[in-house]
Amino acid sequence: MSSLKKLLKKKKYVQVPLELTATNHFELKATLNGITGRFILDTGASNTCVGTDKLEFFKLTSKDSEIKAAGAGATDMETQISTKNKFNIGKWKKKKTKIVLFDLVHVNEALTMHNAKPVDGIIGADILIDTNAIIDYKSKILYLRSKK
């Protein structure tokens, strides 16, 4: 495994530690507009999302969106879009990050019912694809690479 780490370091990937929750989700800390929050890593989520209740907490400005969200048993949920956000995951940084906002109450209820802590948001495929992300499940490490 050390050869993988060396190869990815050479290719300018950064390592982000992951924590496996009681629900078998990977969780990580990320900073949005200078504020640190708890996020689930979700390869099945198309967009990176934050709960609408965290709008002020993360200093987000938003506008209504025609996109409907679905997930974790809920469908047709209203969304908002926030653009031009500074987003950091470990040493990986991106300005002008788009964030989708919707009600994450159902997600957090499901987590807490299974003895996991609630989250502020979800890291979705948009960031994972953009960074050519690699998930090392055994070592619980997320590798991200900037396009620079």
Side-chain angles (χ1 to χ4, degrees):
M1 188 54 66
S2 65
S3 61
L4 174 64
K5 287 182 184 180
K6 287 179 186 175
L7 173 68
L8 295 177
K9 186 175 182 178
K10 191 176 186 178
K11 293 191 174 274
K12 307 292 185 203
Y13 277 82
V14 297
Q15 293 184 39
V16 180
L18 299 171
E19 181 180 322
L20 190 62
T21 68
T23 57
N24 279 335
H25 289 96
F26 277 129
E27 185 179 283
L28 56 94
K29 290 189 181 356
T31 304
L32 178 56
N33 297 327
I35 310 296
T36 301
R38 299 163 43 88
F39 291 79
I40 283 180
L41 183 65
D42 187 348
T43 60
S46 55
N47 293 293
T48 296
C49 309
V50 169
T52 49
D53 62 326
K54 300 294 180 176
L55 186 73
E56 290 180 21
F57 178 75
F58 286 117
K59 303 174 187 174
L60 300 169
T61 56
S62 67
K63 59 183 177 182
D64 289 337
S65 168
E66 293 186 22
I67 298 169
K68 300 289 184 189
T75 59
D76 244 9
M77 294 179 289
E78 298 292 324
T79 64
Q80 297 175 340
I81 301 289
S82 179
T83 57
K84 299 181 183 174
N85 298 289
K86 294 178 184 175
F87 202 60
N88 299 12
I89 304 172
K91 292 180 181 178
W92 177 85
K93 299 176 183 182
K94 184 176 180 185
K95 297 177 182 177
K96 299 183 181 180
T97 304
K98 179 184 83 171
I99 303 291
V100 175
L101 292 106
F102 72 99
D103 189 349
L104 290 179
V105 168
H106 64 287
V107 170
N108 283 322
E109 283 177 354
L111 290 171
T112 55
M113 280 178 37
H114 292 92
N115 300 318
K117 296 176 184 175
V119 295
D120 300 310
I122 298 165
I123 306 296
D126 55 342
I127 287 179
L128 300 175
I129 291 168
D130 190 46
T131 61
N132 295 317
I134 297 170
I135 303 168
D136 181 342
Y137 287 88
K138 185 176 181 181
S139 299
K140 298 178 188 160
I141 296 174
L142 172 66
Y143 293 93
L144 303 172
R145 188 171 104 190
S146 296
K147 286 190 171 185
K148 293 178 184 179

